[in-house]
Amino acid sequence: MGDTSGMIVLQEDCGTWPAQHLAFMVGESEIEQAAQQLRNNGVVVEGPILHDWIPARSVYFEDPDGHALELCAVIPEAV
């Protein structure tokens, strides 16, 4: 697996745009902590949900503008 580090810069645009779904990869060891931190800050979070077909676990929530956000943690396959 390649380097997954990086940075995203978001800029406010007061125009009218359709809601989007944005997914961000996190480490498997970080998914539970990320979900809990969101909940601790009053964010309604669904998950973690196991996706057997990937395999991965995801948590879903919305940003203040109603965009669907996903944190996705790929589960390394057992060898």
Side-chain angles (χ1 to χ4, degrees), residues 53-72:
W53 57 277
I54 295 177
R57 294 171 55 206
S58 293
V59 294
Y60 298 92
F61 55 101
E62 289 188 359
D63 76 2
D65 295 321
H67 300 287
L69 303 179
E70 174 184 357
L71 300 179
C72 181

Side-chain angles (χ1 to χ4, degrees), residues 20-58:
Q20 301 291 317
H21 173 252
L22 304 170
F24 302 92
M25 289 183 67
V26 297
E28 182 186 13
S29 63
E30 301 169 316
I31 194 84
E32 294 284 346
Q33 181 181 3
Q36 190 58 51
Q37 284 182 315
L38 288 164
R39 288 183 180 105
N40 290 347
N41 285 290
V43 177
V44 175
V45 176
E46 180 182 351
I49 294 172
L50 178 63
H51 304 290
D52 291 328
W53 57 277
I54 295 177
R57 294 171 55 206
S58 293

